[in-house]
Amino acid sequence: MKVYLNGHIVDGASAQISIFDHGFMYGLGVFETFRIYEGHPFLLDDHFQRLQKSLHQLGIAWSYDKKKVCATLDTLLCANGIKDAYVRWNVSAGVGPLGLHIGDYEEPTTIVYMKPIPSFMPTEKQAVLLQTRRNSPEGKQRLKSHHYMNNILGKRELGQNNGDEGIFLTKEGYIAEGIVSNVFWVKDDILYTPSLETGILDGITRQFIFALAKKENVHVVEGCFFEDALLEADEMFITNSIQEIVKITMYNGKSFSFYGGITEKLQKQYEDGKTKLWSKGELG
């Protein structure tokens, strides 16, 4: 794998960062994962506007330059010999003194990882309830940051079955999100999903689903819901930027049917936009 590291394309096996990088030492870093379809980085503007906002909250100097970002991605695609890719764009605080630092970081470390998309990506999964509870965000709102221990504990509880997704509840017992996904369900032609008040990540695909639902005249309700809402649902699906929209065929013994339903309508709209859209705003 060829990666981008602070302005250079290098072999991943030989790439190095300082042991004093505060992204490594204290978790001060955020990232975006997204897909490139036939050379097009889907929803790039939405991803990088969130990245820039998150870095600003952490006091890390970085600004989105779309032209430079696209040039970097094109160079990395060429170096890896691919046109369709999984991308992780990672920005950490950079080198700092030993000890907690309260000032701004002016020289962040930027790493861009890229790999081919697997030939098979599941469009259906089963989901189970995790005993591990979703932790609270470190700040006012959850960032897509280096703090991943809660997700790792959930993944270890789930085990090696990649055909399943684990669903977190909050400490209050509200439905939160999947280990690496946002959760949606349908009841009586209304689309439901947990609100940000539960401490979930405001996923870029989550936001895109809201825009698609509006285009399809589907009413969306965000809120705090107990697990019974999933067990009474007509449809259930999860989303993230790599797996897209994944149907949940069964959750804790409850099976779901999708033929002609809202999930399939959203999947069709998603498919139509992924080789051309830069932002959800382009849906009008």
PDB file of all heavy atoms in Angstrom, residues 261-275:
ATOM      1  N   GLY A 261     -39.899  -1.480  -0.242  1.00  0.00           N
ATOM      2  CA  GLY A 261     -39.981  -0.596   0.909  1.00  0.00           C
ATOM      3  C   GLY A 261     -39.079   0.631   0.802  1.00  0.00           C
ATOM      4  O   GLY A 261     -38.408   0.868  -0.207  1.00  0.00           O
ATOM      5  N   ILE A 262     -39.047   1.396   1.884  1.00  0.00           N
ATOM      6  CA  ILE A 262     -38.273   2.640   1.922  1.00  0.00           C
ATOM      7  C   ILE A 262     -36.777   2.376   1.790  1.00  0.00           C
ATOM      8  O   ILE A 262     -36.064   3.120   1.107  1.00  0.00           O
ATOM      9  CB  ILE A 262     -38.596   3.404   3.221  1.00  0.00           C
ATOM     10  CG1 ILE A 262     -40.016   3.993   3.125  1.00  0.00           C
ATOM     11  CG2 ILE A 262     -37.570   4.501   3.484  1.00  0.00           C
ATOM     12  CD1 ILE A 262     -40.501   4.651   4.388  1.00  0.00           C
ATOM     13  N   THR A 263     -36.292   1.308   2.411  1.00  0.00           N
ATOM     14  CA  THR A 263     -34.859   1.003   2.343  1.00  0.00           C
ATOM     15  C   THR A 263     -34.401   0.845   0.898  1.00  0.00           C
ATOM     16  O   THR A 263     -33.377   1.410   0.489  1.00  0.00           O
ATOM     17  CB  THR A 263     -34.533  -0.275   3.133  1.00  0.00           C
ATOM     18  OG1 THR A 263     -35.018  -0.144   4.468  1.00  0.00           O
ATOM     19  CG2 THR A 263     -33.036  -0.526   3.161  1.00  0.00           C
ATOM     20  N   GLU A 264     -35.146   0.105   0.096  1.00  0.00           N
ATOM     21  CA  GLU A 264     -34.755  -0.125  -1.295  1.00  0.00           C
ATOM     22  C   GLU A 264     -34.847   1.159  -2.119  1.00  0.00           C
ATOM     23  O   GLU A 264     -34.035   1.378  -3.027  1.00  0.00           O
ATOM     24  CB  GLU A 264     -35.612  -1.228  -1.899  1.00  0.00           C
ATOM     25  CG  GLU A 264     -35.308  -2.605  -1.291  1.00  0.00           C
ATOM     26  CD  GLU A 264     -36.008  -3.739  -2.007  1.00  0.00           C
ATOM     27  OE1 GLU A 264     -36.981  -3.472  -2.746  1.00  0.00           O
ATOM     28  OE2 GLU A 264     -35.575  -4.895  -1.833  1.00  0.00           O
ATOM     29  N   LYS A 265     -35.800   2.021  -1.814  1.00  0.00           N
ATOM     30  CA  LYS A 265     -35.891   3.311  -2.510  1.00  0.00           C
ATOM     31  C   LYS A 265     -34.657   4.157  -2.229  1.00  0.00           C
ATOM     32  O   LYS A 265     -34.091   4.783  -3.130  1.00  0.00           O
ATOM     33  CB  LYS A 265     -37.150   4.064  -2.077  1.00  0.00           C
ATOM     34  CG  LYS A 265     -38.454   3.459  -2.564  1.00  0.00           C
ATOM     35  CD  LYS A 265     -39.638   4.279  -2.077  1.00  0.00           C
ATOM     36  CE  LYS A 265     -40.955   3.666  -2.532  1.00  0.00           C
ATOM     37  NZ  LYS A 265     -42.125   4.438  -2.028  1.00  0.00           N
ATOM     38  N   LEU A 266     -34.223   4.169  -0.986  1.00  0.00           N
ATOM     39  CA  LEU A 266     -33.044   4.946  -0.609  1.00  0.00           C
ATOM     40  C   LEU A 266     -31.784   4.355  -1.232  1.00  0.00           C
ATOM     41  O   LEU A 266     -30.891   5.091  -1.670  1.00  0.00           O
ATOM     42  CB  LEU A 266     -32.916   4.997   0.907  1.00  0.00           C
ATOM     43  CG  LEU A 266     -34.032   5.743   1.656  1.00  0.00           C
ATOM     44  CD1 LEU A 266     -33.848   5.604   3.156  1.00  0.00           C
ATOM     45  CD2 LEU A 266     -34.077   7.215   1.263  1.00  0.00           C
ATOM     46  N   GLN A 267     -31.700   3.027  -1.288  1.00  0.00           N
ATOM     47  CA  GLN A 267     -30.548   2.384  -1.917  1.00  0.00           C
ATOM     48  C   GLN A 267     -30.448   2.770  -3.397  1.00  0.00           C
ATOM     49  O   GLN A 267     -29.352   3.012  -3.906  1.00  0.00           O
ATOM     50  CB  GLN A 267     -30.647   0.869  -1.782  1.00  0.00           C
ATOM     51  CG  GLN A 267     -30.313   0.335  -0.398  1.00  0.00           C
ATOM     52  CD  GLN A 267     -30.436  -1.171  -0.306  1.00  0.00           C
ATOM     53  OE1 GLN A 267     -31.383  -1.770  -0.830  1.00  0.00           O
ATOM     54  NE2 GLN A 267     -29.482  -1.814   0.355  1.00  0.00           N
ATOM     55  N   LYS A 268     -31.578   2.829  -4.071  1.00  0.00           N
ATOM     56  CA  LYS A 268     -31.588   3.196  -5.493  1.00  0.00           C
ATOM     57  C   LYS A 268     -31.100   4.631  -5.675  1.00  0.00           C
ATOM     58  O   LYS A 268     -30.283   4.921  -6.566  1.00  0.00           O
ATOM     59  CB  LYS A 268     -33.009   3.050  -6.055  1.00  0.00           C
ATOM     60  CG  LYS A 268     -33.195   3.527  -7.487  1.00  0.00           C
ATOM     61  CD  LYS A 268     -32.331   2.751  -8.470  1.00  0.00           C
ATOM     62  CE  LYS A 268     -32.737   3.009  -9.922  1.00  0.00           C
ATOM     63  NZ  LYS A 268     -32.597   4.450 -10.301  1.00  0.00           N
ATOM     64  N   GLN A 269     -31.572   5.551  -4.853  1.00  0.00           N
ATOM     65  CA  GLN A 269     -31.151   6.941  -4.946  1.00  0.00           C
ATOM     66  C   GLN A 269     -29.661   7.091  -4.622  1.00  0.00           C
ATOM     67  O   GLN A 269     -28.952   7.874  -5.245  1.00  0.00           O
ATOM     68  CB  GLN A 269     -31.979   7.800  -3.995  1.00  0.00           C
ATOM     69  CG  GLN A 269     -33.432   7.970  -4.412  1.00  0.00           C
ATOM     70  CD  GLN A 269     -33.568   8.752  -5.715  1.00  0.00           C
ATOM     71  OE1 GLN A 269     -32.801   9.662  -5.993  1.00  0.00           O
ATOM     72  NE2 GLN A 269     -34.549   8.378  -6.516  1.00  0.00           N
ATOM     73  N   TYR A 270     -29.203   6.326  -3.658  1.00  0.00           N
ATOM     74  CA  TYR A 270     -27.786   6.348  -3.283  1.00  0.00           C
ATOM     75  C   TYR A 270     -26.933   5.902  -4.469  1.00  0.00           C
ATOM     76  O   TYR A 270     -25.916   6.524  -4.798  1.00  0.00           O
ATOM     77  CB  TYR A 270     -27.563   5.424  -2.087  1.00  0.00           C
ATOM     78  CG  TYR A 270     -26.237   5.564  -1.387  1.00  0.00           C
ATOM     79  CD1 TYR A 270     -26.142   6.182  -0.148  1.00  0.00           C
ATOM     80  CD2 TYR A 270     -25.061   5.059  -1.945  1.00  0.00           C
ATOM     81  CE1 TYR A 270     -24.924   6.317   0.501  1.00  0.00           C
ATOM     82  CE2 TYR A 270     -23.836   5.172  -1.303  1.00  0.00           C
ATOM     83  CZ  TYR A 270     -23.783   5.797  -0.077  1.00  0.00           C
ATOM     84  OH  TYR A 270     -22.577   5.923   0.570  1.00  0.00           O
ATOM     85  N   GLU A 271     -27.329   4.820  -5.099  1.00  0.00           N
ATOM     86  CA  GLU A 271     -26.602   4.271  -6.237  1.00  0.00           C
ATOM     87  C   GLU A 271     -26.491   5.287  -7.369  1.00  0.00           C
ATOM     88  O   GLU A 271     -25.446   5.407  -8.026  1.00  0.00           O
ATOM     89  CB  GLU A 271     -27.301   3.008  -6.739  1.00  0.00           C
ATOM     90  CG  GLU A 271     -26.591   2.262  -7.849  1.00  0.00           C
ATOM     91  CD  GLU A 271     -25.327   1.553  -7.371  1.00  0.00           C
ATOM     92  OE1 GLU A 271     -25.214   1.283  -6.164  1.00  0.00           O
ATOM     93  OE2 GLU A 271     -24.455   1.282  -8.222  1.00  0.00           O
ATOM     94  N   ASP A 272     -27.553   6.046  -7.587  1.00  0.00           N
ATOM     95  CA  ASP A 272     -27.569   7.013  -8.680  1.00  0.00           C
ATOM     96  C   ASP A 272     -26.604   8.175  -8.468  1.00  0.00           C
ATOM     97  O   ASP A 272     -26.175   8.807  -9.446  1.00  0.00           O
ATOM     98  CB  ASP A 272     -28.992   7.577  -8.857  1.00  0.00           C
ATOM     99  CG  ASP A 272     -29.966   6.545  -9.414  1.00  0.00           C
ATOM    100  OD1 ASP A 272     -29.501   5.515  -9.933  1.00  0.00           O
ATOM    101  OD2 ASP A 272     -31.185   6.778  -9.323  1.00  0.00           O
ATOM    102  N   GLY A 273     -26.246   8.469  -7.221  1.00  0.00           N
ATOM    103  CA  GLY A 273     -25.452   9.659  -6.965  1.00  0.00           C
ATOM    104  C   GLY A 273     -23.987   9.444  -6.677  1.00  0.00           C
ATOM    105  O   GLY A 273     -23.199  10.401  -6.695  1.00  0.00           O
ATOM    106  N   LYS A 274     -23.558   8.217  -6.480  1.00  0.00           N
ATOM    107  CA  LYS A 274     -22.230   8.021  -5.895  1.00  0.00           C
ATOM    108  C   LYS A 274     -21.055   8.250  -6.844  1.00  0.00           C
ATOM    109  O   LYS A 274     -19.926   8.362  -6.386  1.00  0.00           O
ATOM    110  CB  LYS A 274     -22.131   6.639  -5.258  1.00  0.00           C
ATOM    111  CG  LYS A 274     -22.284   5.466  -6.200  1.00  0.00           C
ATOM    112  CD  LYS A 274     -22.383   4.183  -5.375  1.00  0.00           C
ATOM    113  CE  LYS A 274     -22.401   2.950  -6.249  1.00  0.00           C
ATOM    114  NZ  LYS A 274     -22.572   1.711  -5.433  1.00  0.00           N
ATOM    115  N   THR A 275     -21.288   8.369  -8.139  1.00  0.00           N
ATOM    116  CA  THR A 275     -20.186   8.660  -9.058  1.00  0.00           C
ATOM    117  C   THR A 275     -20.167  10.129  -9.490  1.00  0.00           C
ATOM    118  O   THR A 275     -19.357  10.498 -10.353  1.00  0.00           O
ATOM    119  CB  THR A 275     -20.271   7.781 -10.320  1.00  0.00           C
ATOM    120  OG1 THR A 275     -21.523   8.013 -10.980  1.00  0.00           O
ATOM    121  CG2 THR A 275     -20.132   6.311  -9.969  1.00  0.00           C
TER     122      THR A 275
END
